[in-house]
Amino acid sequence: MSTSSKRPRTLVAVGATLALALSGCGARAGDEAVAGGTSAAPSCVDTSGASVKLGFLNSLTGGMAISEKTVSNVLHMAADEINAGGGILGKKIEYVQEDGATDWPTFAEKTEKLLTQDCVAAIFGGWTSSSRKAVKPVVEKNNGLFFYPVQYEGLESSPNIYYTGATTNQQIIPAMDYLASQGVKKLFLAGSDYVFPRTANAIIKLYAAELGIEIVGEEYVPLDKDDWTSQVAKIVAAKPDFVFNTINGSSNVGFVKAYYDAGLKAETTPIISVSIAEEEAPAMGHEVTGQYASWNYFQSLKTDTNPKFIESWKAYPNSSGVTSDPMEAAYISLYLYKALVEAAGSFDVDAVNAAAKAKPITFDAPEGTVTLDGENHHISKPGHIGKINSSNQFDIVWSSDKFIEPDPYLEGYDWFPADIRKQLTDAAG
Amino acid sequence: MTKPKPWISLGGIGVFAVLLLAVAPLVLTDHWLNNVGKYCCWAIAAVGIGLAWGRGGMLVMGQGVFFALGAYSMAMHLTLESAGDRIPGFMVLYDPLAPLPMFWEPFRSAGFTLLAIVLLPVVLAGILGYALFKRRVKGAYFAILTQALAVALATLISSTIRETGGDTGLSDFKYFFGFVLNDPANKLMVYLVAAGLLVLCLLAVWQLYRSRFGELLVATRDAEERVRFLGYDPANVKLVAFVVSALMASIGGAMFVPIVGIITPAEIGAAASILMIAGVAFGGRASLFGPALGAMAVGWGQSSLGSTWPEGWTYILGLMFVVVILFLPNGLSSLPARIAAARRKPVEQPAPAPVVAELEEVRS
């Protein structure tokens, strides 16, 4: 008991330390010069050597690993190709691979590690919109670069992110246009319960009203749940002309199973998907022949550059042998970065962003020659609708007549309410 | 009964405090200091688990619930602080026209938020504990019930995307009670607050373990009926330990948010709650430092081994857990005592019944 009299003193000492810590001399709110990020530690990227460090951040474990491992693999292939061709600005790519583990805080932690500990010049990866939302504040406050390769819901822009997948007006809107051209009057929306499907469906509903398509139902199931039985029963009851599928990952397997178990068929109630590609189609456990998907790249696409891409991928170690839209977009992202750095003549983030604005950067991608929009950091893309054939490849049934310019905030579309756009840009800024 | 001299433990806390508050900021890089800050948050929750489980015998498998109360209270406040007068961006995205949900409104106030971080877990654990302990619910039933609560809360948050951010979680916090979070000096401050709170929690349980209450708690754990016959109500003893552990989990959760910069249901659900328990068991649930050090070790393993060997590290964790439970049922912190015991006569420690005995109890 002799020490009990010392205890309050210890508590006081610790309390005093906390008080001191709280009165630290850091910036307060309202000190906008600091809020902008200028007070962040200066970049530690060192490109004076013979190589440049890049970070690849993909979920190698967890639920998204099945999709993201392919992206990681194709990034490695692109890095090998670029290195074989002399590297970027004559410097060989030295990559650091990190695992996002399908856990959004892990994505944030690893982004910070790659930028401040490994000092990489740019990071490539991510798949779900949740992972991108976790990475965004970290690359912004450290003034890093992040290249995101998957189609997404749009309504976002960041000086520190380049989007090489489609935004809504390059995938969702072409799909809606196609449905309208096919005389679809009743549409059912089925999606995973997270940011992409929710936002995509909000946009679909606005555009459907414009097109005169009635939304006869809207159902969500969490990303990690596979049981779609009760939701599919609602589809049966609603008798839609088409089902718009924004389900992501393995939950699709459960959805397709419930769909066929309920007696639905591609001939009468077809599905149009924005997340099922060549890679996923064979994994559905059911014949998905006759179902549709909207993408910007298909393996069956006839371009000058596609055959070589498919051939390299088939020869690459651990490759699945099939190519798909997200992996093609990941492949683009590394080459686009190379083109940007070479146009800038520097790996510096601000110089790269300035080069993007200075003149149009292009790349002869497997989907065709894509052009970067230096203002919104998205790329132009062709729109395609494919129908799955018996060999799990897509027969292209519709293509946009030209490359679609990226419009993440849907500024060219009158039916998108201006006040919502303003609220979103305000919230983003 | 020979007890380790209290000043040794107090000295240990002192050394620990110096290491965390003075040495770590000097020697670690920003990235690792931030990581240690995150481990501190888990360690704060772990200290509470040590109290409830190690000393009190209540296997709290759902501390994620209380971690979430603190974390989401803090996250809602920081989100509103960053959004200013506007409705947070993610809400606009899902339903542009709806107003801010009612339960968000009070979290605009910093005072209310701090009060909520303290009072919400105390009230919830108080009601829950009172109902369960008075009905003498214990063992596996108690463990399953707490675990189910964590699963239910994680599912609820996932499915209310507009109200809570859903699976994507809440992130992109710019300010922390008026301080710009991006400023390195403020990041250090947030770290110091988390580390300081961990030291405070250790001091609190150090005092509790030495007190009459600490003796009663261990007595309740080992022989609840005898405590009852002596005229004490074991339910009250357990209730206090459970409430304190809930409060610590909430404080850990609240500091997790500004340090990690994002909170999602995955951090509070079943797997996260079990990982908290794993760290405590690993370090030694009944000892003073075991839970905190165990939680920090598991956190370090996740960041470090998870980077070098992503597919393998969970196997390592599982293997270490099995080895520790089999050969060191009282955790790594019992290793020195084991070595000493092997050399001399056994040193008595307030060790819990081995897990095997506990399983027997559950089975019967």
Side-chain angles (χ1 to χ4, degrees), chain B residues 128-312:
Chain B
L128 198 67
Y130 186 82
L132 292 175
F133 301 137
K134 288 289 178 190
R135 286 189 174 79
R136 303 190 192 174
V137 174
K138 53 188 167 187
Y141 302 101
F142 177 80
I144 290 167
L145 199 136
T146 51
Q147 171 90 95
L149 274 179
V151 175
L153 184 64
T155 309
L156 177 72
I157 293 174
S158 292
S159 60
T160 48
I161 190 163
R162 189 179 186 273
E163 288 77 20
T164 64
D167 177 69
T168 310
L170 296 174
S171 64
D172 205 355
F173 314 116
K174 296 193 168 54
Y175 308 110
F176 177 72
F177 296 97
F179 292 95
V180 177
L181 261 179
N182 194 16
D183 188 307
N186 291 339
K187 277 168 102 174
L188 178 64
M189 170 194 80
V190 173
Y191 164 81
L192 288 176
V193 172
L197 283 168
L198 173 58
V199 172
L200 269 182
C201 287
L202 280 172
L203 278 173
V205 291
W206 172 77
Q207 174 57 21
L208 277 179
Y209 288 175
R210 292 167 68 236
S211 70
R212 188 186 176 80
F213 170 79
E215 304 279 347
L216 259 175
L217 186 63
V218 173
T220 306
R221 178 192 73 196
D222 293 340
E224 192 168 330
E225 290 310 313
R226 285 196 216 174
V227 172
R228 204 185 307 280
F229 282 128
L230 286 172
Y232 295 99
D233 186 352
N236 291 343
V237 178
K238 289 161 87 170
L239 184 62
V240 171
F242 184 53
V243 167
V244 172
S245 82
L247 174 62
M248 287 183 182
S250 177
I251 292 172
M255 290 312 296
F256 183 88
V257 167
I259 288 177
V260 178
I262 175 171
I263 183 73
T264 70
E267 307 312 301
I268 62 124
S273 297
I274 288 172
L275 210 58
M276 291 182 201
I277 292 276
V280 172
F282 185 66
R285 57 193 157 126
S287 68
L288 179 62
F289 292 104
L293 294 179
M296 296 181 94
V298 168
W300 176 81
Q302 204 169 17
S303 328
S304 180
L305 298 176
S307 269
T308 47
W309 195 19
E311 288 95 345

